[in-house]
């Protein structure tokens, strides 16, 4: 490995990473001056967070319909993944909201979203499951449809006998 290959990783800092998120990925990233955590305020960008088991099925479903890389953040300590999205999905009805609550699916449309940072943090560690390198994010509608399809395929059907 040459010096040029290792140099970017050695010199990566919360500020340089935040700048990358802003300029290359189009994310409204800021650095907390005390912790070094990189966050973005949800608004036009948001996230759909869910347990890894469901998220891995959703990713397979999305890979069939999206022909571009899309970002997924891992929350290793919580056992969750967050799909970064473009917000704007229509509100879900009460039965879908209840289904999402039972499945621990959280749609983040406001508040702060913590992005992976090179600064060590034992409490809010984030990793890239699928890193961001472009401004592309799938729509909330696309991700939520995939979540609903995966949840529906996992539910027992009343017309089939249980094992």
């Amino acid at each position: 490995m040459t010096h040029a290959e290792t140099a970017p990783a050695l010199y990566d800092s919360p500020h340089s990473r935040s700048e990358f998120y802003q300029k290359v990925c189009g994310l409204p990233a800021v650095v907390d001056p005390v912790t070094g955590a990189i966050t973005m305020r949800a608004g036009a960008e948001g996230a759909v967070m869910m347990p890894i088991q469901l998220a891995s099925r959703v990713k397979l479903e999305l890979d069939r319909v999206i022909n571009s890389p899309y970002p997924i953040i891992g929350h290793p300590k919580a056992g969750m993944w967050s799909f970064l999205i473009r917000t704007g999905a229509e509100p879900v009805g009460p039965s879908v909201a209840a289904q999402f609550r039972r499945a621990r699916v959280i749609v983040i449309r406001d508040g702060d979203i913590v992005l992976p940072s090179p600064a060590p943090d034992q409490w809010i560690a984030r990793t890239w499951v699928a890193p961001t390198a472009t401004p592309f994010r799938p729509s909330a509608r696309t991700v939520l449809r995939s979540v609903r399809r995966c949840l529906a395929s996992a539910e027992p059907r009343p017309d089939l006998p249980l094992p």
Side-chain angles (χ1 to χ4, degrees):
M1 188 177 295
T2 68
H3 175 70
E5 291 172 317
T6 59
L10 291 175
Y11 298 111
D12 196 16
S13 71
H15 290 285
S16 65
R17 180 83 60 92
S18 177
E19 189 173 306
F20 170 79
Y21 290 155
Q22 293 167 10
K23 292 182 177 179
V24 176
C25 308
L27 295 171
V30 296
V31 178
D32 181 299
V34 175
T35 66
I38 302 172
T39 62
M40 67 175 231
R41 174 67 69 184
E45 313 284 343
V48 178
M49 187 168 59
M50 65 196 80
I52 291 172
Q53 185 177 15
L54 172 60
S56 60
R57 293 192 339 256
V58 170
K59 183 180 182 326
L60 289 173
E61 171 81 20
L62 287 172
D63 287 347
R64 286 180 257 201
V65 297
I66 298 176
N67 294 324
S68 184
Y70 53 91
I72 305 170
I73 298 171
H75 314 254
K77 292 181 186 242
M80 306 283 273
W81 286 1
S82 289
F83 293 77
L84 293 185
I85 57 167
R86 287 178 288 116
T87 59
E90 64 281 348
V92 298
S95 64
V96 173
Q99 180 186 38
F100 284 177
R101 272 193 305 279
R102 285 191 303 275
R104 296 179 44 221
V105 174
I106 302 162
V107 181
I108 303 167
R109 290 189 174 103
D110 58 14
D112 289 332
I113 297 169
V114 179
L115 301 172
S117 173
D121 188 326
Q122 64 181 353
W123 304 112
I124 55 171
R126 299 290 187 267
T127 61
W128 285 112
V129 173
T132 185
T134 71
F136 176 78
R137 259 114 16 233
S139 70
R141 183 179 191 155
T142 299
V143 173
L144 294 176
R145 278 185 180 165
S146 292
V147 170
R148 292 192 64 207
R149 278 195 289 272
C150 290
L151 289 174
S153 69
E155 292 177 356
R157 291 182 39 197
D159 59 333
L160 297 176
L162 294 175

